[in-house]
Amino acid sequence: MKKLINKPEDFVRESLEGMALAHPDLIKIHLDPNFVYRADAPVQGKVAVISGGGSGHEPMHGGFVGKGMLDAACPGEVFTSPTPDQMFEAAKAVHGGAGVLFIVKNYTGDVMNFEMAAELAHTEGIPVQNILIDDDVAVKDSLYTAGRRGTGTTVLAEKICGAAAEAGYDLKQVADLCRRVNLNGRCMGMALTSCTVPAKGTPTFELGDDEMEIGIGIHGEPGRERMKIKSADEITEMLALAIIEDPAYTRTVREWDMEKGEWVEVELTDEPFREGDQVIAMVNSMGGTPVAELYVVYRKLHEICEKKGLKIVRNLVGAYITSLEMQGVSITLLRVDDEMLRFWDAPVHTPALRWGM
Amino acid sequence: MKKLINKPEDFVRESLEGMALAHPDLIKIHLDPNFVYRADAPVQGKVAVISGGGSGHEPMHGGFVGKGMLDAACPGEVFTSPTPDQMFEAAKAVHGGAGVLFIVKNYTGDVMNFEMAAELAHTEGIPVQNILIDDDVAVKDSLYTAGRRGTGTTVLAEKICGAAAEAGYDLKQVADLCRRVNLNGRCMGMALTSCTVPAKGTPTFELGDDEMEIGIGIHGEPGRERMKIKSADEITEMLALAIIEDPAYTRTVREWDMEKGEWVEVELTDEPFREGDQVIAMVNSMGGTPVAELYVVYRKLHEICEKKGLKIVRNLVGAYITSLEMQGVSITLLRVDDEMLRFWDAPVHTPALRWGM
């Protein structure tokens, strides 16, 4: 296994410790249960934004903790959901009196554990809203997911909602905004190579020397199709068109009704992209793909968006939501309005994303 | 070959085009000869800082063009020196009347071509100073290099000298500072895997499934030793101690004497690290190593520096000087004084490095 690690069972903790040592001005870590949180938490009067999920997708989520983005991130073991006590303890540590937003990627374990954590928090009088991210257009149901998986839009939602919370939005407003970001974001990825989970020591799946997989999940879940490797332009076109031409999608999600004090089912439908839309485009490395290749992808994506009448008003090219050392790319497009764009542009200072300060 | 590219011969150009489309506020590109330059160039009255070298090390150098860092970068083909006309045309495009600093990594082709470019510029009345970066402590001579190779310190020198130029330093001052940065920086890298140059299509070198190479060059040049894979802590210790305990090193470099109007040989000796030194530490991915592993390395590096009495006052953890998709890491330590630190902290806005704006 070719990794810069010590014992596999120490990987997550040691990586968190290294991150805390590198960024003491921005973050602190709590071990057992594990979470990363803002060095200046709790920020009184501000909605706290928390996310989390399996490790192995770094910099997501721990790298997005800091000013203007997340208040805390709860990392599970590699590709394993964090436990409810992680989110619950994180919520208690960062709650500044204005409630907590849980941004939850749609994987069955994450959804369940974030719901349990919300219930624990409610018993302590901390208002919590859970908003689901399910933006991956590749497949309808997947190995660990009922419905669409949650992928690239998560990064954009964390930035935008973090800024909204910083600007003084209340919990309902931040939750509404997060739901809207999810409904306007779509993502799809592909892999040239597998990754290897440290505790397992062998590749998650096998891909032939001349093969790739389109629509892969961020844990290596099967995608749409395995095929011979194609050119960057062809790959970009497959991903971009799948996203841009994706029809309206309706899902039923569970959200906490603050007035009723219970989980309610909410039906949500998004709208396909239309000519004239303004979008934020993210071209994301799966972890092992160098940035020079991402720019080859961005070049083609830009051309396709122009042809389709989508205007890329902001972009992010780099490794933001990864699958360990997997080679491959994902594309995310988020239709934005002025409100989202304003929060996108707001200053942010985290280990992995920084501008304006 | 598992890469997101179209035709290998188009890779560099298409990547540059993608970068320009993604960052029109920061950079422009010139093709044939190829260079990346500041969107607002030339900046009148400011020393222009230019670097370059083979492609395949992205984000270096093109990703460091922008406000507060480089004025231009000249990318050769993958792992191939750029030609003198690239640097010469870049110099003409960004010269703002205060002269040009060429920051040159010590590879024979780069050194020769940057010297030729300087001579061409001199004939047009553009004052140019060439400063060499030769910081890699792994080996004394190498496949493409007489003396030490130029590696990680280049990134730090580009940031610090770019800020000094922005602050109004004149050409001699910026060149003196750059020379001083080089004499205070040391770097060493290692590889877990090889990389594949697109035009060749097969790995540059072979490493067994359980092997790694310590002291590898950024083009896969042989390092100090090939050995069985060790733990991240052991690897970090090998690299860090090689850097920290490296004795004084004397080299003779060629610099342009502005008064005499000719190349002169200058003997330069650096000083080993000492207890009490303040350092900037960079833990750099070779391209295919995920950031979570880099933080495991940083954790141990921090411990070793503490033990050795070196105080890490700033750090940079990520992919900054890479070898395509190679898995591995390099560590750079730069002893800094207040002047260097002030320029390190100054605002920068480039595609790959951004803070304070």
Side-chain angles (χ1 to χ4, degrees), chain A residues 1-6 10-11 13-24 58-59 190-193 207-212 229-235 287-300 302-303 315 317 322 324-325 327-329 351-352 354-357, chain B residues 1-6 10-11 13-24 56 58-59 190 192-193 207-212 229-235 287-300 302-303 315 317 322 324-325 327-329 351-352 354-357:
Chain A
M1 183 169 44
K2 296 216 150 178
K3 289 182 187 292
L4 293 163
I5 62 171
N6 295 303
D10 296 333
F11 174 52
R13 177 181 53 79
E14 291 183 348
S15 185
L16 293 176
E17 287 174 352
M19 194 163 66
L21 287 168
H23 309 287
E58 290 73 20
M190 60 78 59
L192 291 166
T193 63
L207 262 180
D209 280 349
D210 58 349
E211 281 184 326
M212 62 175 188
I229 290 181
K230 296 193 186 298
S231 72
D233 282 358
E234 290 169 306
I235 291 168
T289 284
V291 69
E293 296 180 27
L294 301 181
Y295 280 121
V296 175
V297 171
Y298 185 82
R299 174 181 170 275
K300 184 67 181 178
H302 187 275
E303 180 195 307
N315 65 77
V317 179
T322 64
L324 298 166
E325 74 285 2
Q327 281 181 264
V329 68
R354 181 175 184 181
W355 55 71
M357 59 172 117
Chain B
M1 181 170 46
K2 298 218 151 179
K3 287 181 188 293
L4 293 163
I5 62 170
N6 296 303
D10 296 332
F11 173 52
R13 176 181 54 77
E14 291 183 346
S15 184
L16 293 176
E17 288 174 352
M19 193 161 68
L21 287 168
H23 308 287
E58 291 73 20
M190 60 78 59
L192 291 166
T193 63
L207 262 181
D209 280 349
D210 58 349
E211 282 185 324
M212 64 174 188
I229 290 180
K230 296 193 186 297
S231 72
D233 282 358
E234 290 169 308
I235 290 168
T289 284
V291 69
E293 296 180 26
L294 301 181
Y295 281 121
V296 175
V297 171
Y298 186 83
R299 174 182 172 275
K300 184 67 181 178
H302 188 275
E303 180 194 309
N315 65 77
V317 179
T322 64
L324 297 166
E325 73 285 2
Q327 281 181 263
V329 68
R354 181 173 184 182
W355 55 71
M357 59 171 119

Side-chain angles (χ1 to χ4, degrees), chain B residues 10 13 102 104 110 148 155 212 264 297 329:
Chain B
D10 296 332
R13 176 181 54 77
F102 283 163
V104 185
D110 289 14
R148 284 183 174 176
V155 177
M212 64 174 188
V264 292
V297 171
V329 68

